[in-house]
Amino acid sequence: METTDDLARLRAALAQHALVNLAGPLGTGKSRLAARLPVAAALEPAEACDPAVLRGPVTGPGGLLLIDGVDGPGQAEALAAALHEARGPLPPPSAPHPPRPVLLVSRLPLRAAAGWAELGPATVTVGTRPAEAVEAQARAAGITDPQGLALVVRLAGGVPLLAELACRALHSGIAPDVPGAAADRMTGEVLERLGRELPGRRWRHALRLLATVRAGDEHLVAGGPALFSTLAGLSVVRRERLGLAVREPYRSLFELAYQWRRPKAHAQVRTRAAEYRGALLAEHAAGPEERAGLVEQGLFLSGDPLLRSTLFPPAEDGSLIGPARQEEAQDVERLMHRWAVRGGFDVRRSRSITERWLADDPSSFKLARDREGRPVGLAALVPIGAGTEGGIEPLLQQHTAALGRGGRPGLFLGAAYGADPVTHAQILRYILVNAVHAGHLVVSTASPDYQALLRTLTFRPHGGIRDDVYRCGRRPEVYSHDFSPAGLPGWMRALAPAAPGAPYGGQDVAALVAWALARLGDRAALAASPLLSGPRFESPDELRGWLRCAVLDLADAQERADAEAGAILQAYYLGRDRRHHQVASRLHLSRATYFRRLRRGLALVAARLPAG
């Protein structure tokens, strides 16, 4: 499964350097790639860590020396020390007798371990393979039916070893419509291979718990500091802002197997993690970066199938995202052309809008660049303000006054495109992270897929605009969402996984009320409200009518605090004001008082609901 490019890069590195490290995740074909070279001698890592054993092979004449599998506990550090002692000072490559080339194969780059900085090995990395290559591998292994091929591609995540294991699972008799059973069979061998890095079994259950929550700190990874540090040393685990995380596609594989083996325990782990992350978000002590991470975790832990498949595909991120540079205007135009073709839009009209945004500020386009620096995706993410009003007005039209002018700044999203599902998901998560920083996001889209995603994310619908600006037979629809710190905990609670058997699925009823009030004008979205599971409402129209009456009754309450709470709900959800700060200013309330009254109003409306 190695590519011609991988082999060429490896040969070029060996031609220029005496010491080369071939690194890449478990199962990506490093050993198979090394076997394509003319290896003169080979040592096991345990042997190579002994300077007395290493000295002869590493200093003697001859061709390539291969040391494969430098992954055991402490092996990288021990091998560095052995090489220092065995080789001594190296002659330059131009010397009459240049040093013998040595190829070291490992899952993590050896430069990450102590002792390798002075040795300075050249690092050649091997990554995952495209879906087409995985499918070809599956066909060669005798998997030909479409459902089986789709399962192999899904479970492999571009890793040749996982593709081989998935094929074996299907050949063993596991049906392709039982992915959990296939994942369970595959996981057994993956864990055995990881055992080379970490003997014993105590860490294995902790690893599948970590995979279930996506990222976990010591609180979520039970077992204490020692076990947490142990997991951190595995090659399939990385350190992130919110703790440790299992790399894709291994994370998806481990979670799927755990869900198949213990579905109830899996659901409980995810629910507890969502509650914990929500509590951290509610403390308001987190900065914007941590809040964005907690929101991303909350979206993952919701378990919603659309959010999982769209935002969290089972593959490792491969792009870096940042503002477009002036010289990248042609790349922006090329990607926007592809975006228009994919959406079925008129390309000339799309080009005109693109040119306007480029003229206003090229950096409002955020480009996703692959590991070689090639642009492979983009987001048109425009700061809302006086200087950008003209560029976004054609896509907001009659909604511009309410959403695009004055007040607290926010962001306007006009387009998002990724060349593949992984890049696309990374771009969408990047947009949400930036929205948390900005505090508000306005979206105009004619894509039914994006509209479904926004409704699932509980964005507030404002309706369509007057014109079919992309001449595609569909008018763009406008949505917005408030990402203020005070509103994030309630949003996460509304999306959190439900506790089975509890009223309204165990969700925060006040958050469900807020969700439904924000969608009073969208009957299709309101039909998905868990409040309809209660005995009182036969249809979305009945729920809409009841909520309106409840808000108006509360605004007429005798208690002043209750009346203020009702006035806030009436202005924000039933009126024309679309932002919290606008309502607070009109009602002459401080920010703190406003949000206290808002929560009070939602709780009072929720208290009037019948038990679910």
Side-chain angles (χ1 to χ4, degrees):
M1 287 289 293
E2 71 276 357
T3 67
T4 304
D5 182 56
D6 288 334
L7 189 58
R9 288 189 298 114
L10 183 56
R11 283 174 170 160
L14 287 166
Q16 299 175 30
H17 303 277
L19 202 60
V20 175
N21 175 208
L22 179 61
L26 167 68
T28 47
K30 302 180 297 297
S31 296
R32 187 174 300 179
L33 182 60
R36 297 282 303 276
L37 299 170
V39 175
L43 285 176
E44 292 294 322
E47 299 176 288
C49 289
D50 183 345
V53 174
L54 184 62
R55 185 172 294 110
V58 82
T59 59
L64 179 65
L65 172 64
L66 173 65
I67 304 174
D68 191 357
V70 188
D71 302 308
Q75 278 186 346
E77 293 81 359
L79 182 56
L83 275 170
H84 275 293
E85 184 176 340
R87 290 197 323 178
L90 281 179
S94 58
H97 300 288
R100 183 179 195 174
V102 180
L103 176 61
L104 308 127
V105 181
S106 60
R107 292 169 185 169
L108 292 174
L110 293 176
R111 283 179 175 268
W116 287 94
E118 186 178 339
L119 289 168
T123 303
V124 177
T125 57
V126 178
T128 56
R129 302 291 180 257
E132 297 78 15
V134 172
E135 183 174 332
Q137 181 184 355
R139 289 185 182 277
I143 305 299
T144 56
D145 65 289
Q147 195 174 6
L149 289 170
L151 180 68
V152 173
V153 172
R154 172 190 169 189
L155 296 182
V159 176
L161 171 65
L162 298 187
E164 179 185 340
L165 297 180
C167 292
R168 285 194 218 162
L170 292 175
H171 284 309
S172 75
I174 296 174
D177 61 351
V178 191
D184 183 64
R185 190 181 194 276
M186 296 165 64
T187 296
E189 183 157 348
V190 172
L191 291 174
E192 287 300 319
R193 292 185 180 231
L194 284 174
R196 188 171 77 193
E197 304 175 26
L198 197 60
R201 293 178 173 270
R202 181 169 174 259
W203 52 271
R204 296 190 177 191
H205 180 60
L207 187 63
R208 63 182 184 177
L209 295 182
L210 180 60
T212 297
V213 301
R214 188 170 181 259
D217 54 18
E218 278 191 22
H219 177 84
L220 290 176
V221 182
L227 182 58
F228 188 82
S229 298
T230 296
L231 288 179
L234 286 170
S235 64
V236 296
V237 175
R238 64 169 181 262
R239 290 174 169 87
E240 291 189 347
R241 183 176 298 278
L242 298 181
L244 302 180
V246 181
R247 299 176 185 274
E248 293 287 3
Y250 314 97
R251 189 214 64 76
S252 294
L253 189 74
F254 296 155
E255 184 190 7
L256 188 58
Y258 183 41
Q259 187 176 19
W260 179 77
R261 280 198 173 207
R262 300 187 63 187
K264 185 175 181 180
H266 170 269
Q268 290 171 341
V269 168
R270 197 181 53 174
T271 300
R272 286 197 300 268
E275 292 172 350
Y276 172 65
R277 294 304 193 191
L280 291 178
L281 196 57
E283 290 175 359
H284 302 307
E289 293 287 348
E290 188 175 356
R291 283 200 304 272
L294 290 169
V295 165
E296 190 172 320
Q297 279 296 100
L299 295 175
F300 172 85
L301 292 168
S302 73
D304 183 275
L306 180 60
L307 297 185
R308 278 290 186 97
S309 62
T310 306
L311 299 177
F312 306 99
E316 195 78 356
D317 292 342
S319 300
L320 293 175
I321 305 177
R325 298 182 289 269
Q326 190 74 43
E327 62 271 20
E328 293 176 311
Q330 287 187 342
D331 292 309
V332 170
E333 292 173 348
R334 172 177 54 83
L335 292 170
M336 285 293 288
H337 176 82
R338 293 182 181 178
W339 167 79
V341 171
R342 177 180 290 181
F345 306 148
D346 182 275
V347 294
R348 288 176 296 182
R349 181 60 175 156
S350 301
R351 186 186 307 119
S352 173
I353 293 174
T354 302
E355 290 171 353
R356 175 61 186 268
W357 288 342
L358 280 171
D360 286 344
D361 182 9
S363 67
S364 64
F365 285 97
K366 313 303 178 184
L367 288 184
R369 304 173 180 89
D370 65 14
R371 290 183 174 89
E372 283 72 43
R374 297 170 298 202
V376 291
L378 93 175
L381 202 56
V382 183
I384 296 175
T388 60
E389 201 171 274
I392 65 178
E393 191 279 334
L395 295 178
L396 290 181
Q397 295 187 2
Q398 72 269 28
H399 304 289
T400 304
L403 297 172
R405 293 179 183 162
R408 180 167 48 85
L411 295 173
F412 169 77
L413 175 65
Y417 169 81
D420 57 79
V422 178
T423 303
H424 188 220
Q426 195 176 351
I427 287 169
L428 293 179
R429 297 199 308 272
Y430 175 87
I431 291 166
L432 291 171
V433 165
N434 279 270
V436 172
H437 282 261
H440 195 73
L441 179 65
V442 178
V443 183
S444 177
T445 176
S447 165
D449 290 339
Y450 283 142
Q451 291 165 6
L453 178 64
L454 293 168
R455 287 194 293 269
T456 302
L457 288 169
T458 73
F459 272 58
R460 184 175 186 174
H462 300 282
I465 64 175
R466 290 186 296 266
D467 303 323
D468 176 8
V469 294
Y470 292 118
R471 300 188 179 98
C472 62
R474 304 183 304 273
R475 294 180 302 159
E477 294 184 3
V478 178
Y479 297 80
S480 71
H481 193 79
D482 182 13
F483 287 89
S484 66
L488 292 177
W491 182 44
M492 288 293 97
R493 286 194 298 271
L495 293 173
Y504 298 113
Q507 299 183 65
D508 185 307
V509 182
L512 296 181
V513 167
W515 188 95
L517 284 171
R519 278 146 199 84
L520 289 183
D522 188 339
R523 192 179 189 279
L526 205 57
S529 171
L531 297 179
L532 288 173
S533 65
R536 183 159 189 164
F537 311 113
E538 297 290 337
S539 68
D541 293 330
E542 287 192 19
L543 175 59
R544 179 194 295 119
W546 185 90
L547 288 169
R548 285 183 179 276
C549 289
V551 168
L552 295 175
D553 287 347
L554 187 62
D556 289 334
Q558 296 298 314
E559 176 71 32
R560 179 182 175 183
D562 292 353
E564 286 183 348
I568 289 171
L569 298 184
Q570 182 179 359
Y572 184 70
Y573 292 111
L574 307 185
R576 296 180 60 84
D577 290 326
R578 302 304 191 189
R579 297 189 184 182
H580 290 300
H581 76 278
Q582 292 173 332
V583 178
S585 176
R586 187 162 66 80
L587 297 178
H588 306 292
L589 296 173
S590 69
R591 180 180 177 84
T593 301
Y594 172 83
F595 281 108
R596 282 200 305 271
R597 295 290 189 268
L598 174 65
R599 290 191 291 269
R600 180 188 185 97
L602 294 172
L604 289 170
V605 172
R608 299 187 182 192
L609 285 163

